[in-house]
Amino acid sequence: MAFRKRNIAVSTTAGSVAPANAAATLHGGLPGVRPSPLTSHPVTSTGATSLDDLLGGHVGLALGSSLLIGESGTTDFAGALLRFYAAEGLCQGHVVHAVGVGDSWVRDLPGVADERSSRKAAPSAGDDEKMKIAWRYEKLGQAGERGAWSDSDAYIVPGQQADQALPPHAPTNAPQQPFCHTFDLSKSLIIPQGARINHIAITLSPKPFDAVLQSLTQTLKASSSDTVHRLVLPTVLSPALWPTHATRPEDFLQFLHSLRSLLHQYAGRLTAMMTLPLELHPRSSGLVRWAELLSDGVLELTPFPHLMNAANGFVESGGHKSNEERPQGMLKVHKLPITTERGEGGAGAGNSMGEDLAFTVSRRKFVINPFSLPPMEGDQDAQKEGGSLTGKDVEF
């Protein structure tokens, strides 16, 4: 028998030593991709920072997953999220597959906001959000920031010096590209040179989804392994874009099964985001229930009715001050991709399921914030009656 002294580390072989580029191998060196701070899955940005923070603490949409956004009413707030998603893909050099939309939709994508204006606006917003309890608590993170990963963070390989750590989303010999750009809805995106946009037309054939799968599969096979693809499906099953026979379960659910298979086959290169009008296809129907089961993430947007504009006191609720944007609706998180063993987002900070969330769409941004009602003021008549009892004996 062989013995060795205690407190002496076992020597490692040459094959077991972690390579110097293990961080780049972890996320493949893909543009706009970095590992999740929770599970190290490669994730990419949806184009909206507030939406990235809600996706289970992964600070982005995991590659190989799909996101279904349902919206009730006749508004198109979910379309703004799709535009952010597509614009972020073009800025990162990803291949964007746009289904059922033309060049006009691409020209209307939001442009990148000016860095100078965003820097000027940042201090004023930060001053309002500072905690007023004590000065030593000002630098504490707020709820939802536990899983945040800044661009300056680096992934340190075991056995590697800290100064040799590689950034999580960019090679060392190239300038760092922001993981999530700041977009301005009032501007139009300047399409980068060499941008790859695959326009997929919706056919009137008996199976219109077959053309989408065929075009997507051919492009994935023809592209290199270091290319990330994004599938954009706006207002799926809407009669304004899709034929009426597209709503048949044997066609739509088969398409979702095939899309799920492609997402698993190209787990490190493909993501998908689609919107569904719940006014035409409510969540109580079996078709939508199965669609949610076959999707990795499910969100629901519920805009406020127009009648609520008259009730200013109720609309101004949500913890927003008078100088801030008023919320336009509620956001519900029904399902999130890649949950951890600790639950969604790790129970605690960053947990978004079960909370009341509101979204705000202005001319320049799409923001998701917690929604809470202000303290209810007591009835003045009741207060007067209570004040008259101060000089009387009250029996308990």
mmCIF file of all heavy atoms in Angstrom, residues 23 30 36 50 58 100 102 108 122 137 156 163 223 240 286 296 311 343 353 358 360 362 388:
data_model
loop_
_atom_site.group_PDB
_atom_site.id
_atom_site.type_symbol
_atom_site.label_atom_id
_atom_site.label_comp_id
_atom_site.label_asym_id
_atom_site.label_seq_id
_atom_site.Cartn_x
_atom_site.Cartn_y
_atom_site.Cartn_z
ATOM 1 N N ALA A 23 -12.045 30.629 -19.223
ATOM 2 C CA ALA A 23 -13.171 31.557 -19.185
ATOM 3 C C ALA A 23 -13.741 31.770 -20.566
ATOM 4 O O ALA A 23 -14.957 31.854 -20.750
ATOM 5 C CB ALA A 23 -12.717 32.891 -18.585
ATOM 6 N N LEU A 30 -18.343 34.184 -27.542
ATOM 7 C CA LEU A 30 -19.361 34.722 -28.431
ATOM 8 C C LEU A 30 -19.635 36.180 -28.093
ATOM 9 O O LEU A 30 -19.626 36.565 -26.924
ATOM 10 C CB LEU A 30 -20.651 33.901 -28.312
ATOM 11 C CG LEU A 30 -20.529 32.409 -28.616
ATOM 12 C CD1 LEU A 30 -21.861 31.717 -28.402
ATOM 13 C CD2 LEU A 30 -20.050 32.192 -30.039
ATOM 14 N N SER A 36 -23.773 33.103 -16.669
ATOM 15 C CA SER A 36 -24.684 33.524 -15.614
ATOM 16 C C SER A 36 -23.963 33.514 -14.272
ATOM 17 O O SER A 36 -23.204 32.589 -13.978
ATOM 18 C CB SER A 36 -25.897 32.589 -15.564
ATOM 19 O OG SER A 36 -26.627 32.763 -14.375
ATOM 20 N N SER A 50 -33.903 46.208 -17.136
ATOM 21 C CA SER A 50 -34.852 45.820 -16.097
ATOM 22 C C SER A 50 -35.432 44.434 -16.355
ATOM 23 O O SER A 50 -35.743 43.704 -15.410
ATOM 24 C CB SER A 50 -35.975 46.858 -16.009
ATOM 25 O OG SER A 50 -36.621 47.006 -17.268
ATOM 26 N N HIS A 58 -30.243 35.482 -13.435
ATOM 27 C CA HIS A 58 -29.214 35.188 -14.424
ATOM 28 C C HIS A 58 -28.737 36.438 -15.151
ATOM 29 O O HIS A 58 -27.770 36.378 -15.912
ATOM 30 C CB HIS A 58 -29.734 34.173 -15.445
ATOM 31 C CG HIS A 58 -30.147 32.875 -14.838
ATOM 32 N ND1 HIS A 58 -29.246 31.915 -14.416
ATOM 33 C CD2 HIS A 58 -31.379 32.369 -14.551
ATOM 34 C CE1 HIS A 58 -29.888 30.877 -13.914
ATOM 35 N NE2 HIS A 58 -31.189 31.123 -13.978
ATOM 36 N N GLY A 100 -42.594 37.594 -40.410
ATOM 37 C CA GLY A 100 -43.812 38.329 -40.729
ATOM 38 C C GLY A 100 -43.700 39.824 -40.708
ATOM 39 O O GLY A 100 -44.722 40.509 -40.753
ATOM 40 N N GLY A 102 -41.518 43.447 -42.237
ATOM 41 C CA GLY A 102 -40.720 43.909 -43.358
ATOM 42 C C GLY A 102 -39.598 44.836 -42.948
ATOM 43 O O GLY A 102 -39.241 44.953 -41.771
ATOM 44 N N ASP A 108 -37.699 50.927 -37.801
ATOM 45 C CA ASP A 108 -38.290 51.532 -36.604
ATOM 46 C C ASP A 108 -37.676 51.018 -35.309
ATOM 47 O O ASP A 108 -38.167 51.365 -34.225
ATOM 48 C CB ASP A 108 -39.806 51.284 -36.577
ATOM 49 C CG ASP A 108 -40.527 52.042 -37.688
ATOM 50 O OD1 ASP A 108 -39.964 53.043 -38.173
ATOM 51 O OD2 ASP A 108 -41.645 51.626 -38.061
ATOM 52 N N ALA A 122 -27.984 59.839 -14.975
ATOM 53 C CA ALA A 122 -27.734 58.821 -13.956
ATOM 54 C C ALA A 122 -27.596 59.391 -12.555
ATOM 55 O O ALA A 122 -28.182 58.881 -11.619
ATOM 56 C CB ALA A 122 -26.490 58.011 -14.332
ATOM 57 N N TYR A 137 -25.701 53.079 4.931
ATOM 58 C CA TYR A 137 -26.510 52.129 4.174
ATOM 59 C C TYR A 137 -26.701 52.548 2.728
ATOM 60 O O TYR A 137 -27.401 51.877 1.978
ATOM 61 C CB TYR A 137 -27.890 51.970 4.827
ATOM 62 C CG TYR A 137 -27.835 51.367 6.198
ATOM 63 C CD1 TYR A 137 -28.594 51.900 7.243
ATOM 64 C CD2 TYR A 137 -27.031 50.270 6.464
ATOM 65 C CE1 TYR A 137 -28.548 51.349 8.513
ATOM 66 C CE2 TYR A 137 -26.974 49.720 7.733
ATOM 67 C CZ TYR A 137 -27.736 50.262 8.756
ATOM 68 O OH TYR A 137 -27.676 49.716 9.996
ATOM 69 N N ILE A 156 -12.458 34.412 -12.832
ATOM 70 C CA ILE A 156 -11.127 33.971 -12.445
ATOM 71 C C ILE A 156 -11.088 32.453 -12.494
ATOM 72 O O ILE A 156 -11.863 31.781 -11.810
ATOM 73 C CB ILE A 156 -10.757 34.475 -11.037
ATOM 74 C CG1 ILE A 156 -10.817 36.015 -11.012
ATOM 75 C CG2 ILE A 156 -9.387 33.983 -10.629
ATOM 76 C CD1 ILE A 156 -10.561 36.586 -9.652
ATOM 77 N N ASP A 163 -4.911 39.124 -11.693
ATOM 78 C CA ASP A 163 -4.651 40.076 -12.760
ATOM 79 C C ASP A 163 -4.700 39.431 -14.132
ATOM 80 O O ASP A 163 -4.659 40.118 -15.149
ATOM 81 C CB ASP A 163 -3.278 40.726 -12.552
ATOM 82 C CG ASP A 163 -2.166 39.671 -12.416
ATOM 83 O OD1 ASP A 163 -2.507 38.476 -12.378
ATOM 84 O OD2 ASP A 163 -0.982 40.076 -12.350
ATOM 85 N N SER A 223 -24.416 28.670 -40.914
ATOM 86 C CA SER A 223 -23.605 29.629 -40.175
ATOM 87 C C SER A 223 -22.523 28.916 -39.376
ATOM 88 O O SER A 223 -22.595 27.703 -39.130
ATOM 89 C CB SER A 223 -24.485 30.460 -39.240
ATOM 90 O OG SER A 223 -25.124 29.629 -38.285
ATOM 91 N N ALA A 240 -54.083 39.479 -38.139
ATOM 92 C CA ALA A 240 -53.519 40.544 -38.963
ATOM 93 C C ALA A 240 -52.270 40.087 -39.710
ATOM 94 O O ALA A 240 -51.926 40.663 -40.749
ATOM 95 C CB ALA A 240 -53.186 41.755 -38.090
ATOM 96 N N GLY A 286 -56.899 25.924 -23.858
ATOM 97 C CA GLY A 286 -55.911 24.856 -23.833
ATOM 98 C C GLY A 286 -54.730 25.109 -24.745
ATOM 99 O O GLY A 286 -53.608 24.686 -24.457
ATOM 100 N N ASP A 296 -39.916 28.293 -22.362
ATOM 101 C CA ASP A 296 -39.057 28.291 -21.170
ATOM 102 C C ASP A 296 -39.402 29.420 -20.211
ATOM 103 O O ASP A 296 -39.255 29.261 -18.997
ATOM 104 C CB ASP A 296 -37.590 28.387 -21.589
ATOM 105 C CG ASP A 296 -37.155 27.193 -22.427
ATOM 106 O OD1 ASP A 296 -37.264 26.056 -21.939
ATOM 107 O OD2 ASP A 296 -36.715 27.402 -23.569
ATOM 108 N N ALA A 311 -58.729 58.676 -12.556
ATOM 109 C CA ALA A 311 -58.430 58.499 -11.131
ATOM 110 C C ALA A 311 -56.938 58.686 -10.923
ATOM 111 O O ALA A 311 -56.161 57.736 -10.905
ATOM 112 C CB ALA A 311 -58.883 57.111 -10.668
ATOM 113 N N GLY A 343 -34.426 27.513 -6.001
ATOM 114 C CA GLY A 343 -35.648 28.150 -6.455
ATOM 115 C C GLY A 343 -35.345 29.268 -7.425
ATOM 116 O O GLY A 343 -34.195 29.544 -7.773
ATOM 117 N N MET A 353 -40.801 36.336 -8.911
ATOM 118 C CA MET A 353 -42.105 35.681 -8.992
ATOM 119 C C MET A 353 -42.863 35.915 -7.701
ATOM 120 O O MET A 353 -42.324 35.796 -6.600
ATOM 121 C CB MET A 353 -41.929 34.182 -9.241
ATOM 122 C CG MET A 353 -41.288 33.850 -10.557
ATOM 123 S SD MET A 353 -41.267 32.091 -10.923
ATOM 124 C CE MET A 353 -42.988 31.790 -11.248
ATOM 125 N N ALA A 358 -44.739 46.552 -12.098
ATOM 126 C CA ALA A 358 -45.376 47.458 -13.039
ATOM 127 C C ALA A 358 -44.358 47.868 -14.091
ATOM 128 O O ALA A 358 -43.161 47.974 -13.817
ATOM 129 C CB ALA A 358 -45.926 48.699 -12.325
ATOM 130 N N THR A 360 -43.310 50.619 -17.280
ATOM 131 C CA THR A 360 -43.466 51.992 -17.745
ATOM 132 C C THR A 360 -42.797 52.124 -19.101
ATOM 133 O O THR A 360 -41.606 51.814 -19.237
ATOM 134 C CB THR A 360 -42.845 52.989 -16.759
ATOM 135 O OG1 THR A 360 -43.454 52.838 -15.482
ATOM 136 C CG2 THR A 360 -43.039 54.421 -17.236
ATOM 137 N N SER A 362 -42.009 54.877 -21.897
ATOM 138 C CA SER A 362 -41.968 56.289 -22.255
ATOM 139 C C SER A 362 -41.392 56.420 -23.654
ATOM 140 O O SER A 362 -41.175 55.429 -24.362
ATOM 141 C CB SER A 362 -41.131 57.074 -21.235
ATOM 142 O OG SER A 362 -39.798 56.605 -21.219
ATOM 143 N N SER A 388 -62.989 62.833 19.374
ATOM 144 C CA SER A 388 -63.941 63.185 20.419
ATOM 145 C C SER A 388 -63.912 62.221 21.589
ATOM 146 O O SER A 388 -64.470 62.492 22.632
ATOM 147 C CB SER A 388 -65.363 63.227 19.831
ATOM 148 O OG SER A 388 -65.717 61.950 19.330
#
